Amino acid sequence: MSNYLGPEKIIQKKKDFLFPCSQHFYKKPPQIVGGKMQYLFDSQGIKYLDFFAGVSVVNCGHCNPDILCASIEQMKTLDHTSTIYLTEPMVNLAEKLASVLPGDIKHSFFCCSGSEANEGALLLARIYTGRNEFISLNNSLHGRTYLTMSVTGLPMWRADPILSDCVTFVPNAYNKDKTLDEAATESLKAIEVVIASKGDKIAALIAEPVQGNGGIITPPLWYFKKLKTILEKNGILLIIDEVQTGFGRTGKMFAIEHYDVVPDIITVAKALGNGMPISAFCTNDKIAASFTSASASTLGGNPVTASTAIAVLDYIKENNLCSNAQILGIKLKKGLLELKEKYPIIYDVRGIGLMLGIELLKENGEPALEEADLILEFLKNEGILLGKNGLDRNVLAFQPPLIIKESDVHLVLEKLNLALSKLC
Ligand code: PMP
């Protein structure tokens, strides 16, 4: 007998002591008790290949010994002071981040979550431009605070019934009934229409380079350059939310690099701490200089999270995680495209690097959500954890730790083939 509570008791305690909004995947969810690089272990000792990485967080793997060592050493030396005293890890991290951030983006404000980073980015855009409003894309997800929830397009993540009316939503670069280029063109046209009517009120447009929760929506390579030109002409800032896409996930350090564009503000979180709560909004000299009124985050840039993030950046570089994501992403995508040829339920295969998704549709064109759940459950029982997202929750998401091996890709493709063959 183990000392673990076990799934049923955990579900009961969740009911008793958390909120009903806190949901979980799977009809029969395992209790996860341990992690080691690309693997998770449950209370019964079953090993799972983790192909979701806690939603794009553990890019360097679970309990990675090198990163753990940096966190523990720092914890033993100095755990917290707040930014009112001078400490070294935070400034060293900012310097290291500046060396990998695109273009002239150089200044970082550290905080603890993706929501907080985006909230800060929106505030910064207002301070710099003196304008109040924002444009955001349908199906986006930017956070849980009031303003970040207000710029979130996905209905399921807009819990507040009275969100701010300072946001105008436009179509994203995806439409099932159109080509990618057509959908992206329409998205830009819609942005131009909004700007024509109230461009002088708009501080910024916020967008994920690849929409994660929206269903791995991946705009064509020309999209963000054209978008930046339109915004620049009208004095509107471009905030790029790299919370889910950052730190090698797409085969480059930041996904926006695929689009050859330098945004005005970038937000980062998740994989920066590989599980430790750290995030930041980052910008260039000129925009940073406008933020002069006092501001501080109690735990933001704390020595432990900052030292961890430094170890993360070093690990990504020393272990070539960007190129691993690129190479294995190509192999995984090729395999998924082959499965698409075999199984008509796979309507679309999309994404870059190790941020891939397959959209499942029924024969009548409706979202195949029950089938998506059946596949997830089947794969879990076979020892593989995948993600699920999209407006209709019918997109299977492949976002593993970036330290996976080619054999892991083969295993996932083999088991997915088995799942699909049982379903179809
Ligand atoms: N932006 C994006 C793109 C995200 O995917 C998420 C979380 N899934 C957030 C922001 C919010 O991050 P957090 O949960 O850390 O507040």
Side-chain angles (χ1 to χ4, degrees), residues 348-362:
D348 194 24
V349 175
R350 54 185 179 245
I352 332 177
L354 285 174
M355 182 159 184
L356 300 178
I358 57 175
E359 182 171 356
L360 304 180
L361 293 186
K362 296 183 198 198

Side-chain angles (χ1 to χ4, degrees), residues 301-418:
N302 150 303
V304 176
T305 56
S307 296
T308 305
I310 290 171
V312 165
L313 294 179
D314 289 344
Y315 191 90
I316 291 174
K317 193 173 166 201
E318 283 157 19
N319 294 276
N320 301 315
L321 293 194
C322 292
S323 80
N324 200 45
Q326 194 209 348
I327 293 164
L328 293 185
I330 289 170
K331 293 193 181 202
L332 179 58
K333 196 169 195 180
K334 184 169 168 282
L336 293 173
L337 285 165
E338 280 164 16
L339 290 177
K340 177 174 182 280
E341 291 302 305
K342 215 163 143 189
Y343 301 103
I345 192 171
I346 303 182
Y347 170 76
D348 194 24
V349 175
R350 54 185 179 245
I352 332 177
L354 285 174
M355 182 159 184
L356 300 178
I358 57 175
E359 182 171 356
L360 304 180
L361 293 186
K362 296 183 198 198
E363 263 175 43
N364 63 7
E366 282 174 13
L369 32 157
E370 297 86 5
E371 290 80 353
D373 281 339
L374 285 173
I375 294 172
L376 277 193
E377 195 88 26
F378 179 90
L379 289 176
K380 184 256 303 169
N381 293 338
E382 292 284 322
I384 291 169
L385 304 182
L386 279 195
K388 179 180 73 164
N389 56 37
L391 179 66
D392 298 307
R393 311 293 288 159
N394 63 330
V395 179
L396 297 181
F398 303 77
Q399 296 169 259
L402 309 182
I403 46 85
I404 55 159
K405 305 274 182 281
E406 193 170 343
S407 53
D408 297 321
V409 170
H410 290 310
L411 184 70
V412 166
L413 289 169
E414 184 197 314
K415 297 288 184 191
L416 183 61
N417 183 31
L418 193 61

Side-chain angles (χ1 to χ4, degrees), residues 55 113-115 118 141-144 208 213 241 243-244 270:
V55 195
S113 70
S115 303
N118 282 332
L141 191 153
H142 298 295
R144 264 176 4 273
E208 298 151 81
N213 290 62
D241 175 346
V243 167
Q244 198 164 142
K270 293 192 190 258

Side-chain angles (χ1 to χ4, degrees), residues 181-371:
D181 281 342
E182 282 167 358
T185 305
E186 286 198 359
S187 168
L188 292 186
K189 271 194 196 142
I191 290 163
E192 283 180 309
V193 169
V194 175
I195 293 175
S197 77
K198 53 171 169 178
D200 59 343
K201 293 194 177 67
I202 292 168
L205 180 147
I206 182 163
E208 298 151 81
V210 175
Q211 287 184 335
N213 290 62
I216 319 290
I217 303 297
T218 314
L221 288 177
W222 53 265
Y223 178 79
F224 282 105
K225 207 163 212 170
K226 282 204 173 157
L227 171 61
K228 181 81 175 91
T229 309
I230 294 168
L231 297 178
E232 237 164 44
K233 264 194 228 149
N234 292 279
I236 298 169
L237 301 185
L238 175 62
I239 301 172
I240 287 293
D241 175 346
E242 292 266 5
V243 167
Q244 198 164 142
T245 47
F247 306 106
R249 169 67 39 205
T250 63
K252 292 193 187 282
M253 200 61 173
F254 297 99
I256 197 64
E257 293 171 49
H258 292 283
Y259 294 90
D260 195 20
V261 160
V262 178
D264 300 290
I265 304 171
I266 284 190
T267 58
V268 293
K270 293 192 190 258
L272 176 60
N274 205 53
M276 281 273 182
I278 182 162
S279 68
F281 55 93
C282 313
T283 192
N284 56 38
D285 286 339
K286 199 168 163 208
I287 297 174
S290 69
F291 196 1
T292 52
S293 51
S295 188
S297 157
T298 304
L299 296 170
N302 150 303
V304 176
T305 56
S307 296
T308 305
I310 290 171
V312 165
L313 294 179
D314 289 344
Y315 191 90
I316 291 174
K317 193 173 166 201
E318 283 157 19
N319 294 276
N320 301 315
L321 293 194
C322 292
S323 80
N324 200 45
Q326 194 209 348
I327 293 164
L328 293 185
I330 289 170
K331 293 193 181 202
L332 179 58
K333 196 169 195 180
K334 184 169 168 282
L336 293 173
L337 285 165
E338 280 164 16
L339 290 177
K340 177 174 182 280
E341 291 302 305
K342 215 163 143 189
Y343 301 103
I345 192 171
I346 303 182
Y347 170 76
D348 194 24
V349 175
R350 54 185 179 245
I352 332 177
L354 285 174
M355 182 159 184
L356 300 178
I358 57 175
E359 182 171 356
L360 304 180
L361 293 186
K362 296 183 198 198
E363 263 175 43
N364 63 7
E366 282 174 13
L369 32 157
E370 297 86 5
E371 290 80 353

Side-chain angles (χ1 to χ4, degrees), residues 32-48:
I32 303 296
V33 298
K36 193 171 180 197
M37 299 308 272
Q38 67 268 53
Y39 300 110
L40 287 170
F41 300 87
D42 75 8
S43 50
Q44 305 199 313
I46 297 174
K47 176 168 135 179
Y48 300 89

